[in-house]
Amino acid sequence: MNTLSGPPNLGMPFPEDIPMPEFEYVYPFPIGLIPDSSTQKKLACIYSDPKRHILSDPYQLSCGHIICKPCRDKNIKDRVIICPLAECKSHINIMDIFEDVVHAREVNGVVVNCLEPKCSWKGEFQHYKKVHVYNCSESSQYLKEEIKYLKVRYEHNINIPHKSDTDSQALEKELENKTQENQKLTEKVLSQKHKIELFEGTLKTVQDENASLLAIIDTLVNEQQSARPSGYNSHTHNTETKPGIPKVKVDNTSKVVHPGTVSQASTSGVVGQTICSWKFDHTENLNKSGVLQHSEPFHLNNHTFQLTLVQHDHEYLALYVRVINGDNVDKHIWPCSESMTFIMRDHSKHNCDITRTVHLSRAPNECRRFPGKTPLPLVGFKHFCRLSSLQPPRYEYQSCYLDSGSKTTIDVVSADQIKPGVFTSPYDVIGGVGLISWPIRNCTRKLKSHQYNDGVIGSPIFYTSANGYCFKLILNINGTDRSNKTKAGVCAQLIPGKYDEKLTWPVSGEIKVSLLDRRLSIEDHRKEDVSTVISVNSKNRVVKIKSHHDEYQAQTESKDFFPLMSLQSDQQDPCEPIYKFNDEIVIKAEFIPKEVVG
């Protein structure tokens, strides 16, 4: 059976450095074996060289088109294959080509007819190419072509000159280069080990010096306490104060108290001293959401703080701290930089206290400045503890965070203050008035995820003023179509708020959104934040959001934001902008009213 018009190029010698192709590469199975024209079109390889043929061993390109294995191997150049269809012409790496098992099963099972006029054989293609093509009694032409092909291949193979000498010299040269390279690497490793040993010795010396200093500090503190007059009344675990000095009053809306009304003595902030012990009964609040309770105000180093418990979801309890006042407005104590440790006490025999430390020196600046007339945002931990931890334990091995009165205790202990580092620490921040500082973690996983929802991230809600409009941001790191998927997109969504009935509609203003440059070693005016402005001048009040359509109607137009390339690596050169650190970024948003914009 003559499968082609004749064996191509069999009379011409092949180049010496190119092996002969397999027989099926030269003689693909013609598409005429399939009697049905519609099936022919479906199962034909998109390559037609040397003529139209069946998809034998099909492979799928990343553009969706399918070719046979012989055509795949024949057309790959520099690990890239170009789709032959005129309307496609995609350049595809060989790593993006995979075997199409579904089409292979369909091709092998398709019914074909033998092309010899005198042969009436009919059957599946897989039996034709493996058995019948060699056993057809009506034709010997196929075998003749195969014999001729094998002769040419034999002559080609025996005429290939040996290059063993040249190859040996090249291998010896390469081996010599590799040996020298390994020797250099070994010397470098030994040098690094020596540096590590020197560093460990220096570190141990510093640790010994610190231990000596701590012992001296403890001695001085004990001497100072023993020298105090007998009438001195220190703060107890229940934050008691000197008799006759009124406590600072802060209601459940955390209103700011004017500095002139603060008369409570400030706790000195000795490291390890308990400055507040807050017992709260949460049994009635576990099924609620939002702000649950506020602690009594407490003092630390000339500043007044308050704790707030918030329930964001049905799994975790959040704990935040807010600066609510200061003894004075002196610039030298602002912004505040106190450090404190929150300890939720375990009353079981396991003593597995939940401990988290917040360093305000590394919190966003808007959380630690002088409060002024508006309350500051709260900073803390969105996932402080699981709600299940606040239930009575069911098993002996579980911890118990309830005392005999079914109350939970959180102690606030003064911690070592640390200097502002090179980078800010993205604590969870809520309750900003007119602005929000929003940390986004696990950026690498979100960027590489193939699920669309992982790349669309919603911020915490924020109010434009103390009694203003309620918004949240929506960040799309899948990339926008306008930027050809090279830039992130951002928009704002209007949320039903507590003060909507008293506000003027539609809302008028702008929201400035910035990807923060995380460097603290330079002044704010030299930082290279990436910013864009979202207009919110045409949004009316949203009563309820029940569907995706309602969400879409409440959203502003999406804006191109920062280049996605800025999140590809942890750039740590302090001379260049640093947007991602420890796989985290921070986005800041600020509402600008219309009268300010105008």
Side-chain angles (χ1 to χ4, degrees):
M1 179 186 67
N2 190 0
T3 59
L4 291 175
S5 59
N9 297 328
L10 288 183
M12 299 178 62
F14 283 84
E16 293 179 355
D17 57 344
I18 300 178
M20 290 282 286
E22 296 298 329
F23 185 68
E24 188 178 334
Y25 287 33
V26 181
Y27 294 97
F29 296 99
I31 196 65
L33 288 169
I34 302 175
D36 182 52
S37 59
S38 61
T39 307
Q40 286 183 4
K41 185 176 180 180
K42 181 179 180 182
L43 301 182
C45 180
I46 57 177
Y47 281 98
S48 57
D49 182 23
K51 66 185 299 184
R52 292 186 70 211
H53 52 277
I54 294 177
L55 273 169
S56 181
D57 296 327
Y59 277 74
Q60 187 170 132
L61 309 179
S62 59
C63 61
H65 300 122
I66 303 171
I67 62 174
C68 63
K69 185 176 184 294
C71 292
R72 181 203 68 167
D73 297 341
K74 183 167 61 176
N75 290 280
I76 287 178
K77 294 180 180 179
D78 297 329
R79 301 178 62 84
V80 172
I81 188 171
I82 302 176
C83 180
L85 293 182
E87 64 271 18
C88 184
K89 293 296 182 182
S90 299
H91 288 64
I92 299 162
N93 189 281
I94 60 173
M95 300 301 293
D96 297 325
I97 304 174
F98 59 91
E99 188 175 359
D100 195 329
V101 179
V102 176
H103 273 84
R105 189 181 300 115
E106 185 176 1
V107 170
N108 288 331
V110 70
V111 176
V112 298
N113 296 332
C114 182
L115 292 181
E116 289 300 324
K118 297 181 180 180
C119 182
S120 61
W121 185 90
K122 184 177 181 180
E124 292 183 349
F125 175 66
Q126 58 183 339
H127 299 307
Y128 173 83
K129 68 178 181 178
K130 292 180 180 179
V131 180
H132 180 75
V133 73
Y134 300 104
N135 298 331
C136 182
S137 59
E138 298 298 330
S139 174
S140 60
Q141 182 63 31
Y142 187 86
L143 297 178
K144 290 178 181 178
E145 291 177 350
E146 183 176 15
I147 292 171
K148 187 175 181 180
Y149 167 80
L150 292 175
K151 286 181 179 180
V152 175
R153 179 167 184 159
Y154 174 75
E155 293 175 359
H156 168 78
N157 289 341
I158 63 175
N159 290 328
I160 296 177
H162 294 285
K163 299 182 180 179
S164 57
D165 295 339
T166 306
D167 292 344
S168 298
Q169 293 175 0
L171 288 174
E172 288 176 0
K173 184 66 176 177
E174 184 178 359
L175 179 61
E176 182 180 352
N177 294 337
K178 292 294 183 184
T179 302
Q180 294 177 358
E181 185 179 350
N182 288 340
Q183 185 175 358
K184 292 179 181 179
L185 289 174
T186 302
E187 294 174 354
K188 189 173 182 180
V189 169
L190 292 175
S191 175
Q192 293 295 334
K193 286 184 178 179
H194 180 64
K195 290 181 180 179
I196 291 173
E197 291 175 357
L198 292 176
F199 176 76
E200 289 177 345
T202 305
L203 180 62
K204 189 171 188 316
T205 302
V206 172
Q207 289 175 341
D208 294 340
E209 292 177 355
N210 286 342
S212 301
L213 289 173
L214 288 174
I216 294 172
I217 291 172
D218 290 340
T219 302
L220 292 174
V221 170
N222 292 332
E223 291 177 355
Q224 182 179 4
Q225 290 178 347
S226 61
R228 285 172 179 164
S230 58
Y232 179 80
N233 184 11
S234 62
H235 287 268
T236 66
H237 285 198
N238 292 321
T239 63
E240 296 176 356
T241 59
K242 291 183 181 181
I245 297 180
K247 294 183 179 179
V248 179
K249 297 296 183 180
V250 179
D251 62 16
N252 286 340
T253 58
S254 298
K255 295 179 180 177
V256 178
V257 183
H258 191 273
T261 64
V262 180
S263 57
Q264 186 176 355
S266 298
T267 303
S268 61
V270 177
V271 174
Q273 177 183 359
T274 301
I275 55 179
C276 174
S277 185
W278 179 27
K279 291 187 177 182
F280 58 90
D281 185 357
H282 50 74
T283 53
E284 298 180 358
N285 295 321
L286 286 182
N287 295 325
K288 300 179 181 179
S289 60
V291 177
L292 301 183
Q293 295 185 45
H294 299 286
S295 73
E296 289 292 325
F298 60 90
H299 282 245
L300 176 62
N301 293 341
N302 300 316
H303 299 102
T304 306
F305 300 92
Q306 186 181 40
L307 300 181
T308 300
L309 287 175
V310 180
Q311 185 172 335
H312 294 291
D313 52 44
H314 297 290
E315 187 175 0
Y316 286 97
L317 185 70
L319 178 64
Y320 297 96
V321 64
R322 169 185 272 160
V323 184
I324 61 173
N325 208 347
D327 289 345
N328 55 64
V329 296
D330 292 344
K331 291 184 178 180
H332 72 277
I333 68 169
W334 299 101
C336 63
S337 57
E338 277 64 39
S339 298
M340 59 191 77
T341 300
F342 308 134
I343 305 175
M344 192 164 81
R345 298 297 183 183
D346 179 8
H347 297 281
S348 71
K349 62 181 180 181
H350 306 295
N351 294 325
C352 295
D353 298 339
I354 296 176
T355 304
R356 303 290 292 272
T357 300
V358 60
H359 301 286
L360 292 180
S361 61
R362 295 191 177 179
N365 287 335
E366 58 265 24
C367 300
R368 56 198 195 96
R369 58 178 170 79
F370 182 71
K373 297 181 180 181
T374 57
L376 299 184
L378 296 92
V379 59
F381 307 98
K382 184 178 181 179
H383 294 161
F384 179 71
C385 69
R386 292 185 178 273
L387 289 175
S388 56
S389 303
L390 305 181
Q391 301 285 355
R394 300 175 61 184
Y395 305 101
E396 185 178 354
Y397 63 82
Q398 291 179 318
S399 298
C400 179
Y401 298 98
L402 302 175
D403 60 14
S404 58
S406 297
K407 293 186 177 182
T408 300
T409 302
I410 293 181
D411 290 339
V412 182
V413 179
S414 177
D416 282 316
Q417 293 188 21
I418 60 175
K419 295 181 180 180
V422 180
F423 313 101
T424 56
S425 298
Y427 298 109
D428 295 298
V429 177
I430 63 171
V433 176
L435 56 85
I436 182 175
S437 182
W438 173 26
I440 300 176
R441 303 176 176 89
N442 301 319
C443 292
T444 303
R445 178 184 64 79
K446 291 180 172 67
L447 284 170
K448 293 183 177 180
S449 175
H450 295 293
Q451 296 185 7
Y452 179 80
N453 289 339
D454 286 344
V456 180
I457 312 165
S459 77
I461 64 172
F462 66 98
Y463 283 87
T464 59
S465 63
N467 300 311
Y469 305 94
C470 185
F471 281 96
K472 78 172 182 178
L473 301 179
I474 298 175
L475 179 68
N476 179 7
I477 58 175
N478 294 317
T480 62
D481 294 333
R482 288 188 303 272
S483 65
N484 199 20
K485 305 296 184 183
T486 61
K487 289 187 177 181
V490 66
C491 69
Q493 179 178 331
L494 196 60
I495 302 295
K498 295 184 290 186
Y499 315 107
D500 288 356
E501 293 183 357
K502 302 178 182 180
L503 296 173
T504 303
W505 298 94
V507 59
S508 298
E510 294 177 343
I511 298 177
K512 181 181 179 182
V513 186
S514 303
L515 174 67
L516 297 188
D517 183 351
R518 300 282 297 281
R519 295 174 292 174
L520 287 180
S521 57
I522 62 175
E523 297 86 354
D524 287 345
H525 69 274
R526 293 177 53 202
K527 292 183 180 180
E528 300 180 33
D529 299 340
V530 181
S531 301
T532 188
V533 175
I534 303 172
S535 175
V536 289
N537 289 332
S538 59
K539 291 299 176 184
N540 285 306
R541 179 185 176 188
V542 178
V543 180
K544 288 184 179 180
I545 296 179
K546 298 181 179 180
S547 64
H548 291 297
H549 176 74
D550 294 339
E551 289 186 356
Y552 178 77
Q553 292 295 323
Q555 293 175 9
T556 64
E557 180 183 359
S558 177
K559 290 279 190 176
D560 288 347
F561 196 5
F562 55 83
L564 294 176
M565 286 296 295
S566 60
L567 306 186
Q568 293 300 321
S569 61
D570 282 344
Q571 197 284 113
Q572 298 188 23
D573 182 0
C575 297
E576 298 293 333
I578 298 176
Y579 302 112
K580 187 177 74 163
F581 179 69
N582 283 342
D583 207 20
E584 301 164 330
I585 63 174
V586 179
I587 291 176
K588 180 179 178 180
E590 181 178 5
F591 182 78
I592 306 172
K594 183 178 180 181
E595 55 269 19
V596 177
V597 175

